[in-house]
Amino acid sequence: MLALRLARGSRPLVQLRRLLVAAACAATGFLLLYVLAGATDRPAGSFPRLLWALVPLAVTVQFAVAVARTDPATRPREGLDAVGLGPVRLLLVAVVSTAVACTLGSAVALAAFLHLRGELTGLPFDGAAAGLLHADRPLPVAAALTLLALIPLSACAATALALRPHAPAAPQTALPWGIALTACGLAIEAYAGPGGAGMPAGWALTAVGLSLAGPGIAYACGALVQAARPGAMRLLAGRTLQEEAPRLGRPLGVLCAVGAGALTAAALRERGGLGVPLGPLTGPACALVVLCAAATLVTRALEVRQDRSAARTALRDMGAPGAVLRTAATLRATALVAVCAPVVWGVAQLTSLALTR
């Protein structure tokens, strides 16, 4: 009940982020149901389609965790322990809020899917996509509910893992491991080729590698900003970016992987070497992945900005004009784009070569 009351009394921007999580879960749930319906009509080759459908699920869960981290209702505040809201209770509030948003999205996905199949009547567009959704085949109820439950369960587990009370980990550089996993993913893609289950597995491994390498890439961007006798402006921008690298790096790496995948898909489509793994919903699925990855990075940037509010206040109290802070933010964004764009292009080229060997 506490989680529901906090959710109801949140600010409009917080509610909007929760609604976006619910919308992403609804789109992912609809996609999973579409894959299940296709498997009832054509069981052969359904496993690779299910693997591709897990990619939107993964980025949706990542987005849900990012929103839970920025939720003001789940952030520790001074004096909350006195009313029984310690770290564990706040963690439960975050998990319940995530579960509510994701369950709402799954319910919307099921209702929309059944309605477009023609099994729920009385509203416009009854059965409008009956052929696309294989309405002539019975939908396995247990399998459908299991797939829909996978979304809130995965999001809640990931939220609990990310927000659990724990001591700060010692700083470490995971860049070599990220490079190694990316290379392994490219090797699997080259071995498997464009078809079969090996391609989504190789791409997933490449994405994990880039996610691990993301903090190192962001840290290198900060070092680039401070290179060659920097002034106060570049020192402020570079050191801030290096401090933010551990939190911004992971979603940045995932967004780089998504960008590389989009460039690879476009190149292979031009050569006629890539099919449509999810049929007519391949385009909407790709759009969902891109939007969730970008929204996750923006949400994490908002979280970092909230945590940096004390430093901004201190700089303003020292007489620093607002233009200095805005220019430093522009330098950080420019450095990230300048470094990440060649990384995305390089990974896309290597992936295209691996798949067209």
Side-chain angles (χ1 to χ4, degrees):
M1 293 301 298
L2 175 62
L4 295 179
R5 290 178 181 177
L6 290 174
R8 186 180 60 184
S10 299
R11 293 175 298 177
L13 183 59
V14 177
Q15 299 284 20
L16 176 61
R17 289 200 292 260
R18 290 171 180 158
L19 288 177
L20 289 177
V21 170
C25 292
T28 302
F30 190 93
L31 185 64
L32 291 174
L33 292 176
Y34 167 76
V35 172
L36 176 62
T40 62
D41 185 60
R42 290 180 297 132
S46 60
F47 183 65
R49 291 195 295 271
L50 178 61
L51 289 181
W52 279 117
L54 293 180
V55 175
L57 173 63
V59 294
T60 299
V61 169
Q62 184 194 29
F63 178 44
V65 172
V67 169
R69 292 176 66 99
T70 59
D71 195 331
T74 63
R75 298 176 71 86
R77 292 186 182 90
E78 186 178 356
L80 289 182
D81 287 334
V83 295
L85 286 178
V88 176
R89 290 291 299 275
L90 289 177
L91 173 62
L92 292 177
V93 170
V95 171
V96 172
S97 299
T98 302
V100 170
C102 295
T103 303
L104 174 63
S106 295
V108 171
L110 180 60
F113 187 83
L114 294 178
H115 174 63
L116 292 177
R117 276 171 59 99
E119 298 180 16
L120 293 180
T121 58
L123 294 173
F125 306 105
D126 290 338
L132 176 65
L133 303 181
H134 307 285
D136 56 329
R137 299 278 184 173
L139 186 69
V141 178
L145 294 180
T146 300
L147 286 177
L148 291 177
L150 185 63
I151 303 173
L153 289 177
S154 301
C156 290
T159 299
L161 184 63
L163 300 183
R164 72 191 188 282
H166 62 283
Q172 56 182 352
T173 303
L175 185 60
W177 288 104
I179 295 174
L181 284 178
T182 301
C184 290
L186 293 173
I188 292 175
E189 292 175 0
Y191 178 78
M199 184 178 175
W203 188 88
L205 198 59
T206 301
V208 171
L210 287 175
S211 175
L212 288 177
I217 295 174
Y219 192 90
C221 292
L224 178 65
V225 172
Q226 301 175 72
R229 302 176 64 180
M233 178 71 67
R234 287 199 289 142
L235 280 175
L236 174 62
R239 290 180 179 176
T240 302
L241 185 54
Q242 288 179 325
E243 183 180 353
E244 297 171 354
R247 288 188 290 179
L248 286 180
R250 296 294 174 84
L252 179 66
V254 172
L255 187 59
C256 287
V258 171
L263 291 179
T264 302
L268 293 178
R269 287 293 296 274
E270 291 180 358
R271 304 172 191 171
L274 182 66
V276 280
L278 294 177
L281 294 188
T282 299
C286 293
L288 174 64
V289 170
V290 172
L291 290 176
C292 284
T296 300
L297 181 59
V298 172
T299 304
R300 291 302 296 269
L302 291 176
E303 177 192 359
V304 171
R305 179 180 173 83
Q306 291 174 0
D307 294 341
R308 211 172 53 239
S309 59
R312 292 199 309 272
T313 303
L315 286 173
R316 290 194 181 99
D317 291 342
M318 294 171 58
V324 172
L325 300 178
R326 290 191 294 270
T327 305
T330 302
L331 281 175
R332 293 195 296 270
T334 303
L336 288 175
V337 172
V339 172
C340 291
V343 171
V344 170
W345 182 83
V347 172
Q349 293 299 311
L350 291 174
T351 305
S352 300
L353 290 176
L355 293 176
T356 57
R357 64 192 191 283

